Amino acid sequence: MARLLDGTELSRVMREEMAQEVAALRAVGVTPGLSVVLVGNNPASRAYVASKTRACEALGMKGQTLELPEDVSKEELFATIDRLNTDPEVHGILVQLPLPAHLPYKAILEHIRPEKDVDGFHPLNAGLAFVGDPRAFVPCTPAGIMEMLRRENIPTRGRHAVIVGRSLIVSKPLASLLVAPGPDATLTLTHRHTPDLAHHTRQADILIVAVGKQNLITADMVKPGVVVIDVGQNRVPDPGSARGYKMVGDVDFDNVSQVASAITPVPGGVGPMTITMLLANTLQAARQAHQARAT
Ligand code: NAD
C-alpha cells in the first residue's frame, strides 16, 4: 500500500510557518491583503473563493471578496481591478475563473498588475517563471506540487516525470519547474492527442495527472513504486452524502495505491497545497511591496 502524501497536514505545517511571517510583517505595519473578485453566482466558484479568504483570515492576513453581478461589463470589471491595482493595502489580486463568456478573460488577467498577480497567470509572470526568475509568481497548483515533492523528500533529479495534461495553469508551468536546475527531472508531457498514453505512464517514476477524467489512470498503467500526484477534481454523484456528491481524482486510487510507493488522495492532496501556495504568493507580494517602499 502506497504512502499517503497528505496535503492537508503539509499545509497545516506550512501555514503555521507563514503565520509567523505574517505576524512579523504586521509588527512593522503591513497586513498582507488578498482581494478576490468574484463575478456571478457559480456555487463552486463561490465555495472556492470563501475557502481562499477564510484561509487568509486564519493566518492573520486580510482577505476580501468583491462580488460583481453576472452581467457586469468589462469596463466595470477593469475599473474594479484598477482600484485594487492602486490600493496599497491590497497586495494580491485574484479574479476567480471561469468568467462569464462575454468577458475577455485573457485581457482581464493581463490587467492585473504583475506584482499583485498572486495566481501567476499574467504573461509577465509566466515568462519570469519560465526563465526561473525568483520575482515570478508561480501558479499555485504547480508550486504546491513542487513544494510537496520537496517536503516529502521525493527525489526528482534525473527521475522520469510524466505529466498528463498540458494546461497553462497546471501542466506547462509544472513542466518547466520540474526540468529546472535543482529539481533536474527528465520529462515527458502528454495530452489528449498522445497515442498510447499507457506506454508513457508506465515509464514514470513520478506521474502527475491533471486532466479532469475519473479513473483515467488505472493500475495496469503504472509501474510498481511510482509516485502519483493526482491533480484531477471530478464531482461524482454520492446520494449517501449530505451534499449529494463527492470529489474524486483522475486516478483509480484504490487499485493504483496498491502498486505505487506514494500517492496523493483526492480530496486532501493537491487541493489544500494550492490554497497554501496562494497564501505564500500573497505573503511574497506583501513582502516585495514592503521592500520596494523601504528602498
Ligand atoms: P484543463 O481542463 O485545461 O485541460 C485538461 C487537459 O487534459 C488538456 O491539456 C488535455 O489535452 C488533457 N486531456 C484530456 N483528455 C485526455 C486524455 N484522454 N489523455 C491525456 N490527456 C488528456 O486542465 P487543468 O485546468 O489543468 O485541470 C485538470 C484537472 O485538474 C481538472 O479536474 C481540474 O478541476 C483539476 N485542477 C485541480 C486543482 C487543484 O488545486 N487540485 C487546480 C487546478 C485544476
Side-chain angles (χ1 to χ4, degrees), residues 48 140-142 164-171 190-194 197 209-213 216 230-234 247-250 266 269-275:
Y48 286 139
C140 302
T141 303
V164 188
R166 59 172 171 181
S167 71
L168 279 173
I169 63 168
V170 181
S171 298
T190 66
H191 49 79
R192 69 171 79 246
H193 300 293
T194 303
L197 181 64
V209 192
V211 171
K213 282 198 179 134
L216 178 70
D230 189 353
V231 185
Q233 283 185 326
N234 306 294
M247 299 305 287
V248 299
D250 291 343
V266 178
V270 175
M273 293 301 286
T274 296
I275 296 191

Short mmCIF file of all heavy atoms in Angstrom, two decimals, residues 48 140-142 164-171 190-194 197 209-213 216 230-234 247-250 266 269-275, ligand 1:
data_model
loop_
_atom_site.label_atom_id
_atom_site.label_comp_id
_atom_site.label_asym_id
_atom_site.label_seq_id
_atom_site.Cartn_x
_atom_site.Cartn_y
_atom_site.Cartn_z
N TYR A 48 -14.99 28.06 -3.57
CA TYR A 48 -13.53 28.19 -3.66
C TYR A 48 -13.08 29.52 -3.07
O TYR A 48 -12.13 29.60 -2.30
CB TYR A 48 -13.05 28.13 -5.12
CG TYR A 48 -13.09 26.76 -5.74
CD1 TYR A 48 -13.54 26.57 -7.05
CD2 TYR A 48 -12.65 25.64 -5.05
CE1 TYR A 48 -13.58 25.32 -7.63
CE2 TYR A 48 -12.69 24.38 -5.62
CZ TYR A 48 -13.15 24.23 -6.92
OH TYR A 48 -13.19 22.99 -7.49
N CYS A 140 -0.34 28.55 -8.44
CA CYS A 140 -0.36 27.90 -7.12
C CYS A 140 -0.35 26.37 -7.16
O CYS A 140 0.29 25.74 -6.31
CB CYS A 140 -1.59 28.38 -6.36
SG CYS A 140 -1.61 30.18 -6.20
N THR A 141 -1.02 25.77 -8.13
CA THR A 141 -1.08 24.30 -8.13
C THR A 141 0.30 23.70 -8.44
O THR A 141 0.78 22.86 -7.66
CB THR A 141 -2.16 23.80 -9.10
OG1 THR A 141 -3.40 24.39 -8.71
CG2 THR A 141 -2.29 22.29 -9.04
N PRO A 142 0.96 24.11 -9.54
CA PRO A 142 2.31 23.54 -9.75
C PRO A 142 3.29 23.90 -8.63
O PRO A 142 4.11 23.06 -8.23
CB PRO A 142 2.76 24.16 -11.08
CG PRO A 142 1.77 25.19 -11.44
CD PRO A 142 0.53 24.94 -10.67
N VAL A 164 0.43 14.21 -17.38
CA VAL A 164 -0.70 14.01 -18.28
C VAL A 164 -1.56 15.27 -18.23
O VAL A 164 -2.06 15.64 -17.17
CB VAL A 164 -1.54 12.77 -17.88
CG1 VAL A 164 -2.60 12.48 -18.96
CG2 VAL A 164 -0.64 11.55 -17.68
N GLY A 165 -1.69 15.94 -19.38
CA GLY A 165 -2.37 17.24 -19.46
C GLY A 165 -1.36 18.30 -19.82
O GLY A 165 -0.17 18.17 -19.52
N ARG A 166 -1.83 19.35 -20.51
CA ARG A 166 -0.91 20.41 -20.96
C ARG A 166 -1.49 21.80 -20.69
O ARG A 166 -1.29 22.73 -21.46
CB ARG A 166 -0.61 20.24 -22.45
CG ARG A 166 -1.87 20.30 -23.29
CD ARG A 166 -1.58 20.31 -24.77
NE ARG A 166 -2.81 20.15 -25.50
CZ ARG A 166 -2.90 20.10 -26.82
NH1 ARG A 166 -1.82 20.18 -27.56
NH2 ARG A 166 -4.06 19.95 -27.42
N SER A 167 -2.24 21.95 -19.58
CA SER A 167 -2.88 23.24 -19.31
C SER A 167 -1.85 24.29 -18.92
O SER A 167 -0.77 23.99 -18.43
CB SER A 167 -3.91 23.10 -18.19
OG SER A 167 -3.24 22.91 -16.97
N LEU A 168 -2.28 25.56 -19.14
CA LEU A 168 -1.41 26.69 -18.79
C LEU A 168 -1.34 26.92 -17.30
O LEU A 168 -0.40 27.54 -16.81
CB LEU A 168 -1.94 27.96 -19.47
CG LEU A 168 -1.55 28.13 -20.93
CD1 LEU A 168 -2.26 29.33 -21.51
CD2 LEU A 168 -0.03 28.29 -21.05
N ILE A 169 -2.38 26.47 -16.57
CA ILE A 169 -2.37 26.78 -15.13
C ILE A 169 -1.72 25.67 -14.30
O ILE A 169 -1.31 25.93 -13.18
CB ILE A 169 -3.78 27.12 -14.59
CG1 ILE A 169 -4.73 25.94 -14.71
CG2 ILE A 169 -4.35 28.32 -15.28
CD1 ILE A 169 -6.01 26.17 -13.92
N VAL A 170 -1.64 24.47 -14.84
CA VAL A 170 -1.01 23.39 -14.05
C VAL A 170 0.19 22.80 -14.81
O VAL A 170 1.34 22.92 -14.39
CB VAL A 170 -2.02 22.26 -13.71
CG1 VAL A 170 -1.33 21.18 -12.88
CG2 VAL A 170 -3.25 22.79 -12.98
N SER A 171 -0.09 22.15 -15.94
CA SER A 171 0.91 21.24 -16.50
C SER A 171 2.12 21.93 -17.12
O SER A 171 3.26 21.52 -16.90
CB SER A 171 0.24 20.34 -17.53
OG SER A 171 -0.75 19.56 -16.90
N THR A 190 2.38 14.68 -21.80
CA THR A 190 1.39 14.04 -22.67
C THR A 190 0.08 14.81 -22.61
O THR A 190 -0.14 15.58 -21.68
CB THR A 190 1.13 12.59 -22.22
OG1 THR A 190 0.51 12.62 -20.93
CG2 THR A 190 2.42 11.78 -22.16
N HIS A 191 -0.78 14.58 -23.59
CA HIS A 191 -2.06 15.29 -23.64
C HIS A 191 -3.06 14.49 -24.46
O HIS A 191 -2.79 13.32 -24.81
CB HIS A 191 -1.86 16.71 -24.20
CG HIS A 191 -1.06 16.73 -25.46
ND1 HIS A 191 -1.61 16.42 -26.67
CD2 HIS A 191 0.26 16.96 -25.66
CE1 HIS A 191 -0.67 16.49 -27.59
NE2 HIS A 191 0.48 16.81 -27.00
N ARG A 192 -4.19 15.12 -24.77
CA ARG A 192 -5.30 14.36 -25.37
C ARG A 192 -4.94 13.73 -26.72
O ARG A 192 -5.58 12.78 -27.15
CB ARG A 192 -6.55 15.24 -25.51
CG ARG A 192 -6.47 16.34 -26.52
CD ARG A 192 -7.82 17.00 -26.72
NE ARG A 192 -8.16 17.94 -25.67
CZ ARG A 192 -9.15 17.77 -24.81
NH1 ARG A 192 -9.91 16.70 -24.88
NH2 ARG A 192 -9.40 18.67 -23.89
N HIS A 193 -3.92 14.24 -27.40
CA HIS A 193 -3.57 13.69 -28.71
C HIS A 193 -2.40 12.71 -28.64
O HIS A 193 -1.89 12.27 -29.67
CB HIS A 193 -3.24 14.82 -29.68
CG HIS A 193 -4.40 15.75 -29.88
ND1 HIS A 193 -5.56 15.36 -30.51
CD2 HIS A 193 -4.60 17.04 -29.50
CE1 HIS A 193 -6.42 16.37 -30.51
NE2 HIS A 193 -5.85 17.39 -29.90
N THR A 194 -1.96 12.38 -27.44
CA THR A 194 -0.84 11.44 -27.29
C THR A 194 -1.35 10.01 -27.54
O THR A 194 -2.25 9.56 -26.81
CB THR A 194 -0.25 11.53 -25.86
OG1 THR A 194 0.15 12.88 -25.63
CG2 THR A 194 0.91 10.59 -25.69
N LEU A 197 -1.30 6.34 -24.36
CA LEU A 197 -0.94 7.04 -23.11
C LEU A 197 -0.25 6.09 -22.12
O LEU A 197 0.73 6.46 -21.45
CB LEU A 197 -2.21 7.64 -22.50
CG LEU A 197 -2.04 8.43 -21.21
CD1 LEU A 197 -1.19 9.68 -21.44
CD2 LEU A 197 -3.41 8.82 -20.63
N VAL A 209 -1.02 13.77 -12.90
CA VAL A 209 -2.18 13.68 -13.78
C VAL A 209 -3.09 14.87 -13.53
O VAL A 209 -3.59 15.07 -12.42
CB VAL A 209 -2.96 12.37 -13.53
CG1 VAL A 209 -3.98 12.15 -14.64
CG2 VAL A 209 -2.02 11.18 -13.43
N ALA A 210 -3.29 15.69 -14.57
CA ALA A 210 -4.13 16.90 -14.46
C ALA A 210 -5.02 16.96 -15.69
O ALA A 210 -4.72 17.66 -16.66
CB ALA A 210 -3.26 18.15 -14.34
N VAL A 211 -6.10 16.20 -15.66
CA VAL A 211 -6.97 16.09 -16.84
C VAL A 211 -8.42 16.43 -16.52
O VAL A 211 -9.05 17.26 -17.19
CB VAL A 211 -6.87 14.66 -17.44
CG1 VAL A 211 -7.91 14.45 -18.53
CG2 VAL A 211 -5.47 14.43 -18.00
N GLY A 212 -8.98 15.81 -15.49
CA GLY A 212 -10.40 16.01 -15.19
C GLY A 212 -11.25 14.87 -15.71
O GLY A 212 -12.37 15.09 -16.17
N LYS A 213 -10.69 13.63 -15.64
CA LYS A 213 -11.47 12.44 -16.06
C LYS A 213 -11.28 11.35 -15.00
O LYS A 213 -10.16 10.86 -14.81
CB LYS A 213 -10.95 11.90 -17.39
CG LYS A 213 -11.42 12.68 -18.56
CD LYS A 213 -11.27 11.93 -19.87
CE LYS A 213 -11.81 12.81 -20.99
NZ LYS A 213 -10.98 12.88 -22.15
N LEU A 216 -9.05 7.82 -15.23
CA LEU A 216 -8.24 7.82 -16.45
C LEU A 216 -7.01 6.93 -16.27
O LEU A 216 -6.59 6.25 -17.20
CB LEU A 216 -7.80 9.26 -16.78
CG LEU A 216 -6.91 9.41 -18.01
CD1 LEU A 216 -7.71 9.14 -19.29
CD2 LEU A 216 -6.28 10.80 -18.07
N ASP A 230 -2.13 13.25 -8.08
CA ASP A 230 -3.43 13.31 -8.76
C ASP A 230 -4.03 14.72 -8.59
O ASP A 230 -4.46 15.09 -7.50
CB ASP A 230 -4.36 12.25 -8.15
CG ASP A 230 -5.64 12.09 -8.93
OD1 ASP A 230 -5.89 12.87 -9.86
OD2 ASP A 230 -6.41 11.16 -8.59
N VAL A 231 -4.01 15.48 -9.67
CA VAL A 231 -4.49 16.87 -9.61
C VAL A 231 -6.00 16.94 -9.88
O VAL A 231 -6.68 17.87 -9.46
CB VAL A 231 -3.72 17.75 -10.62
CG1 VAL A 231 -4.12 19.22 -10.49
CG2 VAL A 231 -2.22 17.61 -10.45
N GLY A 232 -6.52 15.96 -10.56
CA GLY A 232 -7.91 15.99 -11.02
C GLY A 232 -8.91 16.21 -9.91
O GLY A 232 -8.71 15.76 -8.77
N GLN A 233 -9.96 16.93 -10.24
CA GLN A 233 -11.06 17.14 -9.30
C GLN A 233 -12.34 16.90 -10.06
O GLN A 233 -12.74 17.73 -10.89
CB GLN A 233 -11.04 18.56 -8.74
CG GLN A 233 -9.97 18.72 -7.67
CD GLN A 233 -9.99 20.07 -7.02
OE1 GLN A 233 -10.30 21.07 -7.65
NE2 GLN A 233 -9.67 20.12 -5.74
N ASN A 234 -12.94 15.76 -9.81
CA ASN A 234 -14.17 15.41 -10.51
C ASN A 234 -15.29 15.21 -9.49
O ASN A 234 -15.11 14.50 -8.51
CB ASN A 234 -13.96 14.11 -11.30
CG ASN A 234 -12.76 14.20 -12.22
OD1 ASN A 234 -12.77 14.97 -13.17
ND2 ASN A 234 -11.70 13.45 -11.92
N MET A 247 -15.93 14.34 -4.30
CA MET A 247 -14.85 14.67 -5.23
C MET A 247 -13.93 13.46 -5.37
O MET A 247 -13.56 12.82 -4.37
CB MET A 247 -14.01 15.85 -4.70
CG MET A 247 -14.79 17.14 -4.51
SD MET A 247 -15.65 17.69 -5.98
CE MET A 247 -14.28 18.26 -6.97
N VAL A 248 -13.57 13.16 -6.62
CA VAL A 248 -12.57 12.12 -6.87
C VAL A 248 -11.56 12.68 -7.87
O VAL A 248 -11.84 13.65 -8.58
CB VAL A 248 -13.20 10.81 -7.43
CG1 VAL A 248 -14.20 10.21 -6.46
CG2 VAL A 248 -13.84 11.06 -8.79
N GLY A 249 -10.40 12.04 -7.92
CA GLY A 249 -9.36 12.50 -8.83
C GLY A 249 -9.45 11.83 -10.19
O GLY A 249 -10.52 11.31 -10.58
N ASP A 250 -8.33 11.83 -10.90
CA ASP A 250 -8.25 11.21 -12.23
C ASP A 250 -7.70 9.79 -12.15
O ASP A 250 -7.63 9.08 -13.14
CB ASP A 250 -7.30 12.03 -13.14
CG ASP A 250 -7.87 13.39 -13.49
OD1 ASP A 250 -9.09 13.59 -13.32
OD2 ASP A 250 -7.09 14.25 -13.93
N VAL A 266 -7.55 12.37 -3.11
CA VAL A 266 -8.47 13.44 -3.52
C VAL A 266 -9.78 13.18 -2.78
O VAL A 266 -10.36 12.11 -2.93
CB VAL A 266 -8.73 13.42 -5.05
CG1 VAL A 266 -9.74 14.51 -5.41
CG2 VAL A 266 -7.43 13.61 -5.82
N GLY A 269 -5.14 16.19 -1.05
CA GLY A 269 -3.78 16.08 -1.59
C GLY A 269 -3.33 17.41 -2.16
O GLY A 269 -2.87 18.30 -1.43
N VAL A 270 -3.50 17.55 -3.47
CA VAL A 270 -3.04 18.76 -4.16
C VAL A 270 -3.91 19.98 -3.82
O VAL A 270 -3.39 21.10 -3.73
CB VAL A 270 -3.04 18.51 -5.69
CG1 VAL A 270 -2.68 19.77 -6.46
CG2 VAL A 270 -2.07 17.38 -6.04
N GLY A 271 -5.20 19.77 -3.59
CA GLY A 271 -6.12 20.90 -3.35
C GLY A 271 -5.68 21.83 -2.23
O GLY A 271 -5.52 23.03 -2.44
N PRO A 272 -5.46 21.29 -1.01
CA PRO A 272 -5.03 22.19 0.07
C PRO A 272 -3.69 22.85 -0.19
O PRO A 272 -3.47 24.00 0.21
CB PRO A 272 -4.93 21.27 1.30
CG PRO A 272 -5.39 19.92 0.89
CD PRO A 272 -5.74 19.93 -0.56
N MET A 273 -2.80 22.16 -0.92
CA MET A 273 -1.50 22.76 -1.24
C MET A 273 -1.67 23.97 -2.15
O MET A 273 -0.94 24.95 -2.09
CB MET A 273 -0.58 21.74 -1.92
CG MET A 273 -0.14 20.59 -1.04
SD MET A 273 0.75 21.15 0.42
CE MET A 273 2.32 21.62 -0.29
N THR A 274 -2.67 23.90 -3.03
CA THR A 274 -2.93 25.01 -3.95
C THR A 274 -3.30 26.27 -3.17
O THR A 274 -2.75 27.36 -3.41
CB THR A 274 -4.06 24.63 -4.93
OG1 THR A 274 -3.61 23.53 -5.72
CG2 THR A 274 -4.43 25.77 -5.85
N ILE A 275 -4.19 26.12 -2.21
CA ILE A 275 -4.60 27.29 -1.42
C ILE A 275 -3.42 27.78 -0.57
O ILE A 275 -3.20 28.98 -0.42
CB ILE A 275 -5.83 26.97 -0.55
CG1 ILE A 275 -7.01 26.66 -1.47
CG2 ILE A 275 -6.16 28.15 0.37
CD1 ILE A 275 -8.36 26.58 -0.80
P1 NAD B 1 -7.72 21.61 -18.49
O1 NAD B 1 -9.09 21.25 -18.01
O2 NAD B 1 -7.44 22.96 -19.01
O3 NAD B 1 -7.27 20.59 -19.62
C1 NAD B 1 -7.28 19.21 -19.49
C2 NAD B 1 -6.05 18.63 -20.13
O4 NAD B 1 -6.20 17.21 -20.17
C3 NAD B 1 -5.79 19.09 -21.56
O5 NAD B 1 -4.46 19.56 -21.64
C4 NAD B 1 -6.00 17.84 -22.42
O6 NAD B 1 -5.08 17.77 -23.52
C5 NAD B 1 -5.74 16.72 -21.44
N1 NAD B 1 -6.53 15.51 -21.74
C6 NAD B 1 -7.86 15.42 -21.94
N2 NAD B 1 -8.19 14.14 -22.18
C7 NAD B 1 -7.06 13.42 -22.15
C8 NAD B 1 -6.75 12.05 -22.32
N3 NAD B 1 -7.71 11.16 -22.56
N4 NAD B 1 -5.46 11.66 -22.21
C9 NAD B 1 -4.48 12.56 -21.95
N5 NAD B 1 -4.71 13.88 -21.76
C10 NAD B 1 -5.99 14.29 -21.86
O7 NAD B 1 -6.66 21.23 -17.33
P2 NAD B 1 -6.49 21.82 -15.87
O8 NAD B 1 -7.05 23.18 -15.77
O9 NAD B 1 -5.05 21.55 -15.54
O10 NAD B 1 -7.43 20.89 -14.98
C11 NAD B 1 -7.27 19.49 -14.96
C12 NAD B 1 -7.93 18.90 -13.74
O11 NAD B 1 -7.26 19.38 -12.59
C13 NAD B 1 -9.40 19.29 -13.54
O12 NAD B 1 -10.08 18.20 -12.94
C14 NAD B 1 -9.33 20.44 -12.56
O13 NAD B 1 -10.52 20.55 -11.79
C15 NAD B 1 -8.17 19.99 -11.70
N6 NAD B 1 -7.48 21.07 -11.01
C16 NAD B 1 -7.25 20.88 -9.70
C17 NAD B 1 -6.58 21.83 -8.97
C18 NAD B 1 -6.32 21.59 -7.52
O14 NAD B 1 -5.94 22.51 -6.82
N7 NAD B 1 -6.44 20.37 -7.04
C19 NAD B 1 -6.12 23.00 -9.60
C20 NAD B 1 -6.34 23.15 -10.97
C21 NAD B 1 -7.01 22.16 -11.67
#
